[in-house]
Amino acid sequence: MSRFLSARFADLEAYVPGEQPQDMKYVKLNTNESPFPPAPAVLEAVNRIETGRLNLYPDPEGRVLREKLAAHYGVKPENVFLANGSDELLNFFFMAFCDRERPVAYPAVSYGFYPVYACLYQLPRTEVPLREGFRLEPEDYCGIGKNIVIANPNAPTGRIISTDDIERIVRSNPDHVVMIDEAYIDFGGESCLPLVGKYENLLVCQTFSKFRSLAGGRLGFAIGAPALIEDLDKIRYSINSYNINRLTMAAAVATIENHEYYVNNSRKIQANRACTVAELDRLGFETLPSKANFIFTRSPQVDGGTLYRELKARGVLVRHWDRPEIAGWCRVTIGSREQMDVFLEKVREILREVG
Ligand code: PMP
């Protein structure tokens, strides 16, 4: 730290992203990317149409893409907000709606960026404990009287709550904004988007990074009441009005136009998830029920840290956290059939040698 850093950031603990080795030598199951490349039409759209226009700024309103997304989800373009990854969207949410008078609540075990933003903006925060088996109890949020962020499915657990439960939470906190982070909703979960028209305090956040194979393009979006979108835009125009670059915008439009390709990939991932869980069951692992493109699992024989290190030594990257509540567990992204076969083969080897 230099002596120039503002004192308000002295205690800030920054988010630590999952490892991103650039040499491709690992079977990479640590950051919940899709194992499938973008649809061929996406590659074409980026190469042919847009690269030659990189001398020009992108549309700060993202009109074409917002219209595409609006039509896809049956809402209006005024309901759609675009961000440079849903991480940026979360940043805008915390900045726009939370302060000392309007603190924030989120699950105690959830996406690691929520506490970082709360810390960045020095917000009073409530970390709501999960129940037995990392289950999120909707009652714990009903009438809590704070802004709320819930990842649904939750990360790193993969567990989901129902749209009815979300509706109860939203309805019981009419004076606060509820952000439902649906980064992993397209792997068998039910989105709460149909609630958006009914509630002025609900924001639903999604990403192109998982289901839509575009993690490298950095695109997230929110759908909510026009007034909330206007607030987010006010912040965005005060920070970076060109937050979505041309190539990503073109890629995203082609992505929406090729929806079936991604639905098909998601089906494969869900099938691979079922096979992986079944085999882990057979090997004595405990795995939480997951509606995401990852699973949260632990072995009675090998603790989470050891499993992570032994897998890494064998060329397979998964995610592990040292926090005591979850230190026994690993989060494993569901990849292609071939990747999961390698993962399971290495797990069996580790159980034989270390367990
Ligand atoms: N929300 C959750 C729950 C996540 O796990 C992630 C991915 N790490 C994000 C948001 C951010 O994703 P992105 O910025 O790539 O859209």
Side-chain angles (χ1 to χ4, degrees):
M1 191 194 337
S2 83
R3 63 196 165 90
F4 304 108
L5 182 70
S6 164
R8 69 187 192 281
F9 299 131
D11 295 330
L12 177 63
E13 272 189 46
Y15 178 70
V16 182
E19 295 158 271
Q20 302 294 356
Q22 298 299 309
D23 54 12
M24 299 287 170
K25 76 174 187 204
Y26 287 99
V27 173
K28 199 169 171 305
L29 305 178
N30 67 329
T31 48
N32 301 340
E33 292 133 321
S34 174
F36 304 109
V42 171
L43 305 180
E44 258 173 53
V46 170
N47 289 341
R48 189 163 37 82
I49 304 172
E50 283 302 307
T51 314
R53 296 189 194 145
L54 280 174
N55 54 319
L56 303 174
Y57 283 112
D59 173 11
E61 287 185 31
R63 261 271 138 200
V64 175
L65 177 54
R66 281 172 51 231
E67 278 165 10
K68 272 272 170 218
L69 277 167
H72 183 76
Y73 286 109
V75 295
K76 301 226 162 67
E78 299 76 57
N79 293 111
V80 182
F81 177 83
L82 304 176
N84 192 305
S86 43
D87 284 338
E88 187 186 58
L89 184 54
L90 289 164
N91 182 28
F92 290 149
F93 164 82
F94 276 84
M95 215 190 277
F97 302 115
C98 305
D99 55 33
R100 295 212 149 266
E101 284 69 47
R102 266 170 306 187
V104 64
Y106 49 82
V109 176
S110 191
Y111 182 35
F113 232 130
Y114 306 154
V116 173
Y117 284 130
C119 190
L120 179 66
Y121 296 113
Q122 302 175 327
L123 301 171
R125 71 206 82 142
T126 303
E127 301 196 338
V128 182
L130 294 177
R131 302 293 186 96
E132 182 76 26
F134 300 101
R135 196 178 57 78
L136 189 151
E137 172 52 61
E139 253 339 288
D140 294 342
Y141 297 83
C142 286
I144 197 169
K146 297 178 166 70
N147 289 330
I148 295 170
V149 192
I150 290 175
N152 198 46
N154 198 8
T157 66
R159 300 196 79 134
I160 196 161
I161 59 172
S162 69
T163 300
D164 286 349
D165 285 336
I166 290 170
E167 182 159 17
R168 280 199 292 141
I169 294 171
V170 175
R171 202 175 37 216
S172 65
N173 290 288
D175 298 325
H176 291 87
V177 183
V178 179
M179 162 78 103
I180 302 297
D181 177 351
E182 293 191 337
Y184 302 104
I185 200 63
D186 292 300
F187 300 98
E190 182 195 41
S191 171
C192 69
L193 273 172
L195 297 179
V196 162
K198 262 172 102 175
Y199 295 97
E200 59 173 4
N201 63 326
L202 171 64
L203 266 176
V204 181
C205 157
Q206 293 197 7
T207 178
F208 275 60
S209 296
K210 318 294 179 185
F211 166 74
R212 292 188 163 112
S213 296
L214 211 62
R218 311 304 298 124
L219 183 66
F221 63 96
I223 297 188
L228 289 181
I229 303 302
E230 258 176 51
D231 294 342
L232 290 170
D233 254 332
K234 184 171 183 172
I235 303 294
R236 184 174 70 87
Y237 276 105
S238 307
I239 293 178
N240 180 9
S241 37
Y242 301 119
N243 62 333
I244 315 297
N245 72 73
R246 276 183 172 275
L247 302 184
T248 296
M249 212 107 73
V253 169
T255 297
I256 304 289
E257 287 168 352
N258 286 268
H259 187 65
E260 270 312 304
Y261 168 83
Y262 298 96
V263 171
N264 204 27
N265 289 346
S266 172
R267 278 196 203 107
K268 290 183 201 158
I269 289 170
Q270 291 174 60
N272 295 346
R273 181 175 70 201
C275 293
T276 306
V277 171
E279 180 60 9
L280 288 172
D281 280 353
R282 213 183 57 75
L283 296 171
F285 277 69
E286 178 188 358
T287 306
L288 298 183
S290 171
K291 286 284 185 196
N293 68 337
F294 57 82
I295 51 171
F296 204 45
T297 189
R298 72 171 166 186
S299 160
Q301 283 167 268
V302 190
D303 78 88
T306 308
L307 184 62
Y308 159 77
R309 281 187 296 278
E310 293 293 328
L311 281 168
K312 186 171 179 184
R314 290 166 173 78
V316 179
L317 270 187
V318 300
R319 194 90 200 258
H320 172 261
W321 291 268
D322 283 326
R323 283 178 61 178
E325 315 90 285
I326 54 173
W329 299 74
C330 282
R331 190 194 69 191
V332 183
T333 303
I334 302 298
S336 65
R337 196 56 204 262
E338 297 72 33
Q339 288 177 310
M340 299 328 286
D341 285 346
V342 175
F343 162 74
L344 289 167
E345 180 194 315
K346 301 300 176 194
V347 166
R348 282 189 288 264
E349 195 178 299
I350 293 164
L351 292 181
R352 275 198 305 273
E353 290 176 20
V354 183

